């Protein structure tokens, strides 16, 4: 009501216009917390893989956080980038 030019809920605007990358990754180390974060965003389609290049180290030792399911890893590594950047295919 106070912003009549906003015609959708903020969550819908974020899901259609914003993507998040994994590096640098600032989240609690527990895998359950990361999965709960995806649930709060109501989407696992907003996360893209990134390397933090030109830095030669990751946050920790792994390129991906621990505890991700194989389906979620595929979305982060392949499906989400293709949906975000259709010219990649």
């Amino acid at each position: 009501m106070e912003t009549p030019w906003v015609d959708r809920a903020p969550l819908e605007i974020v899901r259609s216009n914003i993507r998040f990358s994994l590096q640098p990754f600032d989240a609690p180390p527990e895998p359950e917390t990361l999965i709960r974060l995806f649930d709060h965003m109501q989407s696992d389609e907003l996360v893209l893989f990134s390397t933090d290049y030109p830095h030669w180290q990751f946050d920790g030792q792994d390129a991906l956080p621990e505890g991700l399911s194989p389906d979620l890893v595929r979305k982060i590594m392949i499906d989400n980038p293709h949906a975000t950047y259709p010219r990649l295919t």
Side-chain angles (χ1 to χ4, degrees):
M1 174 169 35
E2 294 176 5
T3 53
W5 56 88
V6 177
D7 58 351
R8 298 180 290 162
L11 181 60
E12 292 177 26
I13 294 171
V14 168
R15 283 195 300 209
S16 68
N17 295 297
I18 296 176
R19 297 295 176 263
F20 300 97
S21 63
L22 288 178
Q23 288 293 329
F25 192 67
D26 186 21
E30 301 85 21
E32 301 82 26
T33 306
L34 179 60
I35 300 304
R36 193 169 58 223
L37 175 64
F38 290 142
D39 290 341
H40 284 294
M41 291 189 313
Q42 297 179 1
S43 179
D44 56 1
E45 298 173 355
L46 303 180
V47 181
L48 303 173
F49 177 74
S50 62
T51 62
D52 199 21
Y53 182 82
H55 305 115
W56 293 104
Q57 73 279 356
F58 295 104
D59 292 339
Q61 298 298 315
D62 299 319
L64 292 172
E66 292 183 27
L68 300 179
S69 71
D71 291 336
L72 184 54
V73 169
R74 178 180 169 80
K75 288 190 86 160
I76 291 170
M77 300 292 288
I78 299 170
D79 298 337
N80 293 350
H82 282 167
T84 303
Y85 304 106
R87 292 177 49 190
L88 290 177
T89 58

Coordinates of all heavy atoms in Angstrom, one line a residue:
M1 N 0.8 -1.2 0.0 CA 0.0 0.0 0.0 C 0.9 1.3 0.0 O 0.5 2.2 -0.6 CB -0.9 -0.1 1.2 CG -1.7 1.2 1.4 SD -3.1 1.1 2.6 CE -2.5 0.1 3.9
E2 N 2.0 1.2 0.7 CA 2.9 2.4 0.8 C 3.8 2.5 -0.4 O 4.3 3.6 -0.7 CB 3.7 2.3 2.0 CG 2.9 2.4 3.3 CD 3.7 2.2 4.6 OE1 5.0 2.1 4.4 OE2 3.2 2.2 5.6
T3 N 3.9 1.5 -1.2 CA 4.7 1.5 -2.4 C 3.9 0.9 -3.6 O 4.0 -0.2 -3.9 CB 6.0 0.7 -2.3 OG1 5.7 -0.6 -1.8 CG2 7.0 1.4 -1.3
P4 N 3.0 1.7 -4.1 CA 2.1 1.2 -5.1 C 2.7 0.7 -6.4 O 2.1 -0.1 -7.2 CB 1.2 2.4 -5.4 CG 1.9 3.6 -5.0 CD 2.8 3.2 -3.9
W5 N 4.0 1.1 -6.7 CA 4.7 0.6 -7.9 C 5.2 -0.8 -7.7 O 5.5 -1.5 -8.7 CB 5.8 1.5 -8.2 CG 6.8 1.7 -7.1 CD1 7.9 0.9 -6.9 CD2 6.8 2.7 -6.1 NE1 8.5 1.4 -5.7 CE2 7.9 2.5 -5.2 CE3 5.9 3.8 -5.8 CZ2 8.1 3.2 -4.1 CZ3 6.2 4.5 -4.7 CH2 7.3 4.3 -3.9
V6 N 5.2 -1.3 -6.5 CA 5.6 -2.7 -6.3 C 4.3 -3.6 -6.4 O 3.4 -3.5 -5.6 CB 6.2 -2.9 -4.9 CG1 6.6 -4.4 -4.6 CG2 7.4 -2.0 -4.7
D7 N 4.3 -4.4 -7.5 CA 3.1 -5.2 -7.8 C 3.2 -6.6 -7.4 O 2.3 -7.4 -7.6 CB 2.8 -5.1 -9.3 CG 4.0 -5.6 -10.1 OD1 5.1 -5.8 -9.6 OD2 3.8 -5.7 -11.3
R8 N 4.3 -7.0 -6.8 CA 4.5 -8.4 -6.3 C 5.1 -8.4 -4.9 O 5.7 -7.4 -4.5 CB 5.5 -9.2 -7.3 CG 4.9 -9.2 -8.7 CD 5.9 -10.0 -9.6 NE 7.1 -9.2 -9.8 CZ 8.3 -9.6 -10.2 NH1 8.4 -10.9 -10.5 NH2 9.3 -8.8 -10.4
A9 N 5.0 -9.6 -4.3 CA 5.6 -9.7 -3.0 C 7.1 -9.7 -3.1 O 7.7 -10.1 -4.1 CB 5.2 -11.1 -2.4
P10 N 7.8 -9.2 -2.1 CA 9.3 -9.1 -2.2 C 10.0 -10.4 -2.5 O 10.9 -10.4 -3.3 CB 9.7 -8.5 -0.8 CG 8.5 -7.8 -0.3 CD 7.3 -8.5 -0.9
L11 N 9.5 -11.5 -1.9 CA 10.1 -12.8 -2.2 C 10.0 -13.1 -3.7 O 10.9 -13.6 -4.3 CB 9.4 -13.9 -1.4 CG 10.0 -15.3 -1.6 CD1 11.4 -15.3 -1.2 CD2 9.2 -16.3 -0.8
E12 N 8.9 -12.8 -4.4 CA 8.7 -13.0 -5.8 C 9.7 -12.2 -6.6 O 10.3 -12.6 -7.6 CB 7.3 -12.8 -6.2 CG 6.3 -13.7 -5.7 CD 4.9 -13.4 -6.1 OE1 4.7 -12.7 -7.1 OE2 4.0 -13.7 -5.4
I13 N 9.9 -11.0 -6.2 CA 10.9 -10.1 -6.9 C 12.3 -10.6 -6.7 O 13.0 -10.7 -7.7 CB 10.8 -8.6 -6.3 CG1 9.4 -8.0 -6.6 CG2 11.9 -7.8 -6.9 CD1 9.1 -6.7 -6.0
V14 N 12.7 -11.1 -5.6 CA 14.0 -11.6 -5.4 C 14.2 -12.9 -6.2 O 15.2 -13.0 -6.9 CB 14.2 -12.0 -3.9 CG1 15.5 -12.8 -3.7 CG2 14.3 -10.7 -3.1
R15 N 13.2 -13.8 -6.2 CA 13.3 -15.0 -7.0 C 13.4 -14.8 -8.5 O 14.0 -15.6 -9.2 CB 12.1 -16.0 -6.7 CG 12.3 -16.6 -5.3 CD 11.4 -17.8 -5.2 NE 10.0 -17.3 -5.3 CZ 9.0 -17.9 -4.7 NH1 9.2 -19.0 -4.0 NH2 7.8 -17.5 -4.8
S16 N 12.8 -13.7 -9.0 CA 12.9 -13.5 -10.4 C 14.1 -12.7 -10.9 O 14.4 -12.6 -12.0 CB 11.6 -12.8 -10.9 OG 11.5 -11.5 -10.4
N17 N 14.8 -12.0 -9.9 CA 15.8 -11.0 -10.3 C 17.2 -11.2 -9.7 O 18.1 -10.6 -10.1 CB 15.4 -9.6 -10.0 CG 14.2 -9.2 -10.8 OD1 14.3 -9.1 -12.0 ND2 13.1 -8.9 -10.2
I18 N 17.3 -12.1 -8.7 CA 18.5 -12.2 -7.9 C 19.0 -13.6 -7.9 O 18.2 -14.5 -7.8 CB 18.3 -11.6 -6.5 CG1 18.0 -10.2 -6.5 CG2 19.6 -11.9 -5.6 CD1 17.7 -9.5 -5.2
R19 N 20.3 -13.8 -8.0 CA 20.9 -15.1 -7.9 C 22.0 -15.0 -6.8 O 22.7 -13.9 -6.7 CB 21.5 -15.7 -9.2 CG 20.4 -15.9 -10.2 CD 19.5 -17.0 -9.8 NE 18.4 -17.2 -10.8 CZ 17.2 -16.6 -10.7 NH1 16.9 -15.9 -9.7 NH2 16.2 -16.9 -11.6
F20 N 22.3 -16.1 -6.1 CA 23.3 -16.1 -5.1 C 24.4 -17.1 -5.5 O 24.1 -18.1 -6.1 CB 22.8 -16.5 -3.7 CG 21.7 -15.6 -3.2 CD1 20.3 -15.9 -3.4 CD2 22.0 -14.5 -2.6 CE1 19.3 -15.1 -3.0 CE2 21.0 -13.6 -2.1 CZ 19.6 -14.0 -2.3
S21 N 25.7 -16.8 -5.2 CA 26.8 -17.7 -5.5 C 27.3 -18.3 -4.3 O 27.1 -17.8 -3.2 CB 27.8 -16.9 -6.3 OG 28.4 -15.9 -5.5
L22 N 28.1 -19.3 -4.4 CA 28.6 -20.1 -3.3 C 29.9 -19.6 -2.7 O 30.3 -20.0 -1.6 CB 28.7 -21.6 -3.7 CG 27.4 -22.3 -3.8 CD1 27.6 -23.8 -4.3 CD2 26.6 -22.3 -2.5
Q23 N 30.7 -18.9 -3.5 CA 32.0 -18.4 -3.0 C 32.1 -16.9 -3.1 O 31.8 -16.4 -4.2 CB 33.1 -19.1 -3.8 CG 33.3 -20.5 -3.5 CD 33.8 -20.7 -2.1 OE1 34.5 -19.9 -1.5 NE2 33.4 -21.8 -1.5
P24 N 32.5 -16.2 -2.2 CA 32.8 -16.7 -0.8 C 31.5 -17.0 -0.1 O 30.4 -16.3 -0.3 CB 33.5 -15.5 -0.1 CG 33.0 -14.3 -0.9 CD 32.7 -14.8 -2.3
F25 N 31.5 -18.1 0.7 CA 30.3 -18.6 1.3 C 30.3 -18.4 2.8 O 31.2 -18.9 3.5 CB 30.2 -20.1 1.0 CG 28.8 -20.7 1.3 CD1 27.7 -20.3 0.6 CD2 28.7 -21.6 2.4 CE1 26.5 -20.8 0.9 CE2 27.5 -22.1 2.7 CZ 26.4 -21.7 2.0
D26 N 29.4 -17.6 3.3 CA 29.4 -17.2 4.7 C 28.1 -17.8 5.3 O 27.1 -17.1 5.3 CB 29.5 -15.7 4.9 CG 29.6 -15.3 6.3 OD1 30.0 -16.1 7.1 OD2 29.3 -14.1 6.6
A27 N 28.2 -19.0 5.7 CA 27.0 -19.7 6.3 C 27.5 -20.6 7.5 O 28.7 -21.0 7.5 CB 26.3 -20.5 5.3
P28 N 26.7 -21.0 8.4 CA 27.1 -21.9 9.4 C 27.5 -23.2 8.8 O 27.1 -23.6 7.7 CB 25.8 -22.1 10.2 CG 25.0 -20.9 9.9 CD 25.3 -20.5 8.5
P29 N 28.4 -23.9 9.5 CA 29.0 -25.1 8.9 C 28.1 -26.3 8.9 O 28.4 -27.3 8.2 CB 30.2 -25.4 9.8 CG 29.9 -24.7 11.1 CD 29.1 -23.5 10.7
E30 N 27.0 -26.3 9.6 CA 26.1 -27.4 9.7 C 25.3 -27.5 8.4 O 24.6 -26.6 8.0 CB 25.1 -27.3 10.8 CG 25.8 -27.2 12.2 CD 26.2 -25.8 12.5 OE1 25.6 -24.9 12.0 OE2 27.0 -25.7 13.4
P31 N 25.3 -28.7 7.7 CA 24.5 -28.9 6.4 C 23.0 -28.7 6.6 O 22.4 -28.1 5.7 CB 24.8 -30.3 6.1 CG 26.1 -30.7 6.8 CD 26.1 -29.9 8.0
E32 N 22.5 -29.0 7.8 CA 21.1 -28.8 8.0 C 20.7 -27.3 8.0 O 19.6 -27.0 7.5 CB 20.7 -29.4 9.4 CG 21.0 -30.9 9.6 CD 22.4 -31.1 10.0 OE1 23.1 -30.3 10.5 OE2 22.9 -32.3 9.6
T33 N 21.6 -26.5 8.4 CA 21.3 -25.0 8.4 C 21.2 -24.5 6.9 O 20.3 -23.7 6.6 CB 22.3 -24.3 9.2 OG1 22.4 -24.8 10.5 CG2 22.0 -22.8 9.2
L34 N 22.1 -25.0 6.1 CA 22.1 -24.6 4.7 C 20.8 -25.1 4.0 O 20.2 -24.3 3.3 CB 23.3 -25.2 4.0 CG 23.4 -24.9 2.5 CD1 23.5 -23.4 2.3 CD2 24.6 -25.6 1.9
I35 N 20.4 -26.3 4.2 CA 19.1 -26.8 3.7 C 17.9 -26.0 4.2 O 17.0 -25.7 3.4 CB 19.0 -28.3 4.0 CG1 20.2 -29.1 3.4 CG2 17.7 -28.9 3.5 CD1 20.4 -29.0 1.9
R36 N 18.0 -25.7 5.4 CA 16.9 -24.8 6.0 C 16.9 -23.5 5.3 O 15.8 -22.9 5.1 CB 17.0 -24.7 7.5 CG 15.8 -24.2 8.2 CD 15.8 -24.3 9.7 NE 17.0 -23.6 10.2 CZ 17.8 -24.1 11.2 NH1 17.5 -25.3 11.7 NH2 18.8 -23.5 11.6
L37 N 18.0 -22.9 5.0 CA 18.1 -21.6 4.3 C 17.4 -21.7 2.9 O 16.7 -20.8 2.6 CB 19.6 -21.2 4.1 CG 19.9 -20.0 3.3 CD1 19.2 -18.7 4.0 CD2 21.3 -19.8 3.1
F38 N 17.7 -22.8 2.2 CA 17.0 -23.0 0.9 C 15.5 -23.1 1.1 O 14.7 -22.6 0.3 CB 17.5 -24.3 0.2 CG 18.9 -24.2 -0.3 CD1 19.8 -25.2 -0.3 CD2 19.4 -23.0 -0.9 CE1 21.1 -25.1 -0.7 CE2 20.7 -22.9 -1.4 CZ 21.5 -24.0 -1.3
D39 N 15.1 -23.7 2.2 CA 13.6 -23.8 2.5 C 13.1 -22.4 2.7 O 12.0 -22.1 2.3 CB 13.4 -24.7 3.6 CG 13.6 -26.2 3.3 OD1 13.6 -26.5 2.1 OD2 13.8 -27.0 4.3
H40 N 13.8 -21.6 3.5 CA 13.3 -20.2 3.8 C 13.2 -19.4 2.5 O 12.3 -18.6 2.4 CB 14.2 -19.5 4.8 CG 14.1 -20.0 6.2 ND1 12.9 -19.8 6.9 CD2 14.9 -20.7 7.0 CE1 13.1 -20.3 8.1 NE2 14.3 -20.9 8.2
M41 N 14.1 -19.6 1.6 CA 14.1 -18.9 0.3 C 13.0 -19.4 -0.6 O 12.6 -18.8 -1.6 CB 15.4 -19.0 -0.5 CG 16.6 -18.3 0.2 SD 18.1 -18.2 -0.8 CE 18.3 -19.8 -1.4
Q42 N 12.4 -20.6 -0.2 CA 11.4 -21.3 -1.0 C 11.9 -21.6 -2.4 O 11.1 -21.6 -3.4 CB 10.1 -20.5 -1.0 CG 9.5 -20.3 0.3 CD 8.2 -19.5 0.3 OE1 7.8 -19.0 -0.8 NE2 7.7 -19.3 1.4
S43 N 13.2 -21.8 -2.6 CA 13.7 -22.1 -3.9 C 15.2 -22.6 -3.8 O 15.9 -22.0 -3.0 CB 13.7 -20.9 -4.8 OG 14.2 -21.3 -6.1
D44 N 15.5 -23.6 -4.5 CA 16.9 -24.0 -4.6 C 17.4 -23.6 -6.0 O 18.4 -24.1 -6.5 CB 17.0 -25.5 -4.4 CG 16.2 -26.4 -5.3 OD1 15.4 -25.8 -6.1 OD2 16.2 -27.6 -5.2
E45 N 16.6 -22.8 -6.7 CA 17.0 -22.4 -8.1 C 17.7 -21.0 -8.1 O 18.1 -20.5 -9.1 CB 15.7 -22.3 -8.9 CG 15.0 -23.6 -9.1 CD 13.7 -23.5 -9.8 OE1 13.3 -22.4 -10.1 OE2 13.1 -24.6 -10.0
L46 N 18.0 -20.4 -6.9 CA 18.6 -19.1 -6.8 C 20.1 -19.2 -6.6 O 20.8 -18.2 -6.6 CB 18.0 -18.3 -5.7 CG 16.5 -18.1 -5.7 CD1 16.1 -17.3 -4.5 CD2 16.1 -17.4 -6.9
V47 N 20.7 -20.4 -6.5 CA 22.1 -20.6 -6.1 C 22.8 -21.1 -7.3 O 22.4 -22.0 -8.0 CB 22.2 -21.6 -4.9 CG1 23.7 -21.7 -4.6 CG2 21.4 -21.1 -3.7
L48 N 24.0 -20.4 -7.6 CA 24.8 -20.8 -8.7 C 26.2 -21.1 -8.1 O 26.7 -20.5 -7.1 CB 25.0 -19.6 -9.7 CG 23.7 -19.0 -10.3 CD1 24.0 -17.8 -11.1 CD2 23.0 -20.1 -11.1
F49 N 26.9 -22.0 -8.8 CA 28.3 -22.3 -8.4 C 29.2 -21.1 -8.8 O 29.0 -20.5 -9.8 CB 28.8 -23.6 -9.2 CG 30.2 -23.9 -8.9 CD1 30.5 -24.4 -7.7 CD2 31.2 -23.7 -9.8 CE1 31.9 -24.7 -7.4 CE2 32.5 -24.0 -9.6 CZ 32.8 -24.5 -8.3
S50 N 30.2 -20.9 -8.0 CA 31.2 -19.9 -8.3 C 32.5 -20.3 -7.6 O 32.5 -21.1 -6.7 CB 30.8 -18.5 -7.7 OG 30.7 -18.5 -6.3
T51 N 33.6 -19.8 -8.1 CA 34.9 -20.3 -7.6 C 35.7 -19.3 -6.8 O 36.7 -19.6 -6.3 CB 35.8 -20.6 -8.8 OG1 36.0 -19.5 -9.6 CG2 35.2 -21.8 -9.7
D52 N 35.2 -18.1 -6.7 CA 35.9 -17.0 -6.0 C 37.2 -16.6 -6.8 O 38.2 -16.1 -6.2 CB 36.2 -17.3 -4.6 CG 36.5 -16.1 -3.7 OD1 36.1 -15.0 -4.1 OD2 37.1 -16.2 -2.7
Y53 N 37.3 -16.9 -8.1 CA 38.4 -16.5 -8.9 C 38.6 -15.0 -8.9 O 37.6 -14.3 -8.9 CB 38.2 -17.0 -10.3 CG 39.4 -16.7 -11.2 CD1 40.5 -17.6 -11.2 CD2 39.4 -15.6 -12.0 CE1 41.6 -17.3 -12.0 CE2 40.5 -15.3 -12.8 CZ 41.5 -16.2 -12.8 OH 42.6 -15.9 -13.6
P54 N 39.7 -14.5 -8.7 CA 41.0 -15.0 -9.0 C 41.7 -15.5 -7.7 O 42.9 -15.8 -7.7 CB 41.8 -13.8 -9.5 CG 41.2 -12.6 -8.8 CD 39.7 -13.0 -8.7
H55 N 41.0 -15.6 -6.6 CA 41.6 -16.1 -5.4 C 41.8 -17.6 -5.6 O 40.9 -18.3 -6.1 CB 40.7 -15.8 -4.2 CG 40.5 -14.4 -4.0 ND1 39.2 -13.9 -4.1 CD2 41.3 -13.3 -3.8 CE1 39.3 -12.5 -4.0 NE2 40.5 -12.2 -3.8
W56 N 42.8 -18.2 -5.1 CA 43.2 -19.6 -5.4 C 42.8 -20.5 -4.2 O 43.2 -21.7 -4.2 CB 44.6 -19.8 -5.7 CG 45.0 -19.1 -7.0 CD1 45.6 -17.9 -7.1 CD2 44.6 -19.6 -8.3 NE1 45.7 -17.6 -8.5 CE2 45.1 -18.6 -9.2 CE3 44.0 -20.7 -8.8 CZ2 44.9 -18.7 -10.6 CZ3 43.8 -20.8 -10.2 CH2 44.3 -19.8 -11.0
Q57 N 42.0 -20.0 -3.3 CA 41.5 -20.9 -2.2 C 40.0 -20.7 -2.1 O 39.5 -19.7 -2.4 CB 42.2 -20.5 -0.9 CG 41.8 -19.2 -0.3 CD 42.5 -18.0 -0.9 OE1 43.3 -18.1 -1.7 NE2 42.0 -16.8 -0.4
F58 N 39.4 -21.7 -1.5 CA 38.0 -21.7 -1.2 C 37.8 -21.3 0.3 O 38.8 -21.3 1.0 CB 37.3 -23.0 -1.5 CG 37.3 -23.4 -2.9 CD1 38.2 -24.4 -3.4 CD2 36.4 -22.9 -3.8 CE1 38.2 -24.8 -4.7 CE2 36.4 -23.2 -5.1 CZ 37.3 -24.2 -5.6
D59 N 36.6 -21.1 0.7 CA 36.3 -21.0 2.1 C 36.3 -22.4 2.6 O 35.5 -23.2 2.3 CB 34.9 -20.4 2.4 CG 34.9 -18.9 2.0 OD1 36.0 -18.3 1.9 OD2 33.8 -18.4 1.8
G60 N 37.4 -22.8 3.3 CA 37.6 -24.2 3.7 C 38.3 -24.9 2.6 O 39.1 -24.3 1.8
Q61 N 38.1 -26.2 2.5 CA 38.9 -27.0 1.5 C 38.0 -27.5 0.3 O 38.6 -27.9 -0.7 CB 39.4 -28.3 2.2 CG 40.4 -28.0 3.3 CD 41.6 -27.2 2.8 OE1 42.2 -27.6 1.8 NE2 42.0 -26.2 3.5
D62 N 36.7 -27.4 0.4 CA 35.8 -27.9 -0.6 C 35.2 -26.8 -1.4 O 34.9 -25.7 -0.9 CB 34.7 -28.8 0.0 CG 35.3 -30.0 0.8 OD1 36.3 -30.6 0.3 OD2 34.8 -30.2 1.9
A63 N 35.0 -27.1 -2.7 CA 34.3 -26.1 -3.6 C 32.8 -26.0 -3.3 O 32.2 -25.0 -3.6 CB 34.5 -26.5 -5.1
L64 N 32.2 -27.1 -2.8 CA 30.8 -27.1 -2.4 C 30.7 -27.3 -1.0 O 31.4 -28.1 -0.4 CB 30.1 -28.2 -3.2 CG 30.0 -28.0 -4.7 CD1 29.4 -29.2 -5.4 CD2 29.1 -26.8 -5.0
P65 N 29.6 -26.8 -0.3 CA 29.4 -27.1 1.1 C 29.0 -28.5 1.3 O 28.5 -29.2 0.4 CB 28.2 -26.2 1.4 CG 28.0 -25.2 0.3 CD 28.7 -25.8 -0.9
E66 N 29.3 -29.0 2.4 CA 29.0 -30.4 2.7 C 27.5 -30.6 2.9 O 26.8 -29.6 3.3 CB 29.7 -30.9 4.0 CG 31.2 -31.0 3.9 CD 31.8 -31.5 5.1 OE1 31.1 -32.2 5.9 OE2 33.0 -31.2 5.3
G67 N 27.0 -31.8 2.7 CA 25.6 -32.1 3.0 C 24.6 -31.9 1.9 O 23.4 -32.0 2.1
L68 N 25.1 -31.5 0.7 CA 24.1 -31.2 -0.4 C 23.8 -32.5 -1.1 O 24.7 -33.4 -1.3 CB 24.7 -30.3 -1.4 CG 25.2 -28.9 -0.9 CD1 25.8 -28.1 -2.1 CD2 24.0 -28.2 -0.3
S69 N 22.5 -32.7 -1.4 CA 22.1 -33.9 -2.1 C 22.7 -33.9 -3.5 O 22.9 -32.8 -4.1 CB 20.6 -34.0 -2.1 OG 20.1 -33.1 -3.0
P70 N 22.8 -35.1 -4.2 CA 23.2 -35.1 -5.6 C 22.3 -34.3 -6.5 O 22.8 -33.6 -7.5 CB 23.2 -36.6 -5.9 CG 23.4 -37.3 -4.6 CD 22.7 -36.4 -3.6
D71 N 21.0 -34.3 -6.3 CA 20.1 -33.5 -7.1 C 20.4 -32.0 -6.9 O 20.3 -31.3 -7.9 CB 18.7 -33.8 -6.7 CG 18.2 -35.2 -7.1 OD1 18.9 -35.8 -8.1 OD2 17.3 -35.7 -6.5
L72 N 20.6 -31.6 -5.7 CA 20.9 -30.1 -5.5 C 22.2 -29.7 -6.1 O 22.3 -28.7 -6.6 CB 20.8 -29.8 -4.0 CG 21.0 -28.4 -3.6 CD1 20.0 -27.5 -4.3 CD2 20.9 -28.2 -2.1
V73 N 23.2 -30.6 -6.0 CA 24.5 -30.3 -6.6 C 24.3 -30.2 -8.1 O 24.9 -29.2 -8.7 CB 25.5 -31.4 -6.3 CG1 26.8 -31.3 -7.1 CG2 25.9 -31.4 -4.8
R74 N 23.6 -31.0 -8.7 CA 23.3 -30.9 -10.2 C 22.6 -29.6 -10.5 O 23.0 -28.9 -11.5 CB 22.5 -32.1 -10.7 CG 22.2 -31.9 -12.2 CD 21.3 -33.0 -12.8 NE 20.9 -32.6 -14.1 CZ 21.6 -32.7 -15.2 NH1 22.9 -33.1 -15.1 NH2 21.1 -32.4 -16.4
K75 N 21.7 -29.2 -9.7 CA 21.0 -27.9 -9.9 C 22.0 -26.7 -9.8 O 22.0 -25.8 -10.7 CB 19.8 -27.7 -9.0 CG 18.6 -28.6 -9.3 CD 17.5 -28.2 -8.4 CE 16.8 -27.1 -9.2 NZ 15.4 -26.9 -8.9
I76 N 22.8 -26.7 -8.8 CA 23.7 -25.6 -8.6 C 24.8 -25.6 -9.7 O 25.2 -24.5 -10.1 CB 24.4 -25.8 -7.2 CG1 23.4 -25.5 -6.1 CG2 25.6 -24.9 -7.0 CD1 23.9 -25.9 -4.7
M77 N 25.3 -26.8 -10.1 CA 26.4 -26.8 -11.0 C 25.9 -26.7 -12.5 O 26.7 -26.2 -13.3 CB 27.2 -28.1 -10.9 CG 27.8 -28.3 -9.5 SD 29.1 -27.2 -9.1 CE 30.4 -27.8 -10.2
I78 N 24.7 -27.2 -12.8 CA 24.3 -27.3 -14.2 C 23.0 -26.6 -14.5 O 22.9 -25.7 -15.3 CB 24.2 -28.8 -14.7 CG1 25.6 -29.4 -14.5 CG2 23.7 -28.9 -16.1 CD1 25.6 -30.9 -14.7
D79 N 21.9 -27.0 -13.9 CA 20.6 -26.6 -14.2 C 20.4 -25.1 -13.9 O 19.8 -24.4 -14.8 CB 19.5 -27.4 -13.5 CG 19.6 -28.9 -13.8 OD1 20.1 -29.2 -14.9 OD2 19.1 -29.7 -13.0
N80 N 20.8 -24.6 -12.8 CA 20.6 -23.2 -12.5 C 21.4 -22.3 -13.4 O 20.8 -21.3 -13.8 CB 20.9 -22.9 -11.0 CG 19.9 -23.6 -10.0 OD1 18.9 -24.1 -10.5 ND2 20.2 -23.6 -8.8
P81 N 22.7 -22.6 -13.6 CA 23.4 -21.7 -14.6 C 22.8 -21.7 -16.0 O 22.7 -20.7 -16.6 CB 24.8 -22.3 -14.6 CG 25.0 -23.0 -13.3 CD 23.6 -23.5 -13.0
H82 N 22.3 -22.9 -16.4 CA 21.7 -22.9 -17.8 C 20.4 -22.1 -17.8 O 20.0 -21.4 -18.8 CB 21.4 -24.3 -18.2 CG 22.6 -25.0 -18.7 ND1 22.7 -26.3 -18.9 CD2 23.8 -24.5 -19.1 CE1 23.9 -26.7 -19.4 NE2 24.6 -25.6 -19.5
A83 N 19.6 -22.1 -16.7 CA 18.4 -21.3 -16.6 C 18.7 -19.9 -16.5 O 17.9 -19.0 -17.1 CB 17.5 -21.8 -15.4
T84 N 19.7 -19.5 -15.8 CA 20.1 -18.1 -15.7 C 20.8 -17.5 -16.9 O 20.5 -16.4 -17.3 CB 21.1 -17.9 -14.5 OG1 20.4 -18.4 -13.3 CG2 21.4 -16.5 -14.2
Y85 N 21.6 -18.3 -17.6 CA 22.3 -17.9 -18.8 C 22.0 -18.8 -19.9 O 22.8 -19.7 -20.2 CB 23.8 -17.9 -18.5 CG 24.3 -17.1 -17.3 CD1 24.7 -17.6 -16.1 CD2 24.3 -15.7 -17.4 CE1 25.0 -16.9 -15.1 CE2 24.7 -14.9 -16.4 CZ 25.1 -15.5 -15.2 OH 25.4 -14.7 -14.1
P86 N 20.8 -18.7 -20.5 CA 20.4 -19.6 -21.6 C 21.4 -19.7 -22.8 O 21.4 -20.7 -23.5 CB 19.1 -19.1 -22.0 CG 18.9 -17.8 -21.4 CD 19.9 -17.6 -20.4
R87 N 22.2 -18.7 -23.0 CA 23.2 -18.8 -24.1 C 24.3 -19.8 -23.9 O 25.1 -20.1 -24.7 CB 23.7 -17.4 -24.4 CG 22.7 -16.5 -24.9 CD 23.2 -15.1 -25.1 NE 24.4 -15.0 -25.9 CZ 25.1 -13.9 -26.0 NH1 24.7 -12.8 -25.4 NH2 26.2 -13.9 -26.6
L88 N 24.4 -20.3 -22.6 CA 25.4 -21.3 -22.3 C 25.2 -22.7 -23.0 O 26.1 -23.4 -23.3 CB 25.5 -21.6 -20.8 CG 26.1 -20.5 -20.0 CD1 26.0 -20.9 -18.5 CD2 27.5 -20.2 -20.4
T89 N 23.9 -22.9 -23.3 CA 23.6 -24.2 -23.9 C 23.8 -24.3 -25.4 O 23.8 -23.3 -26.1 CB 22.1 -24.7 -23.6 OG1 21.2 -23.6 -24.0 CG2 22.0 -24.8 -22.1

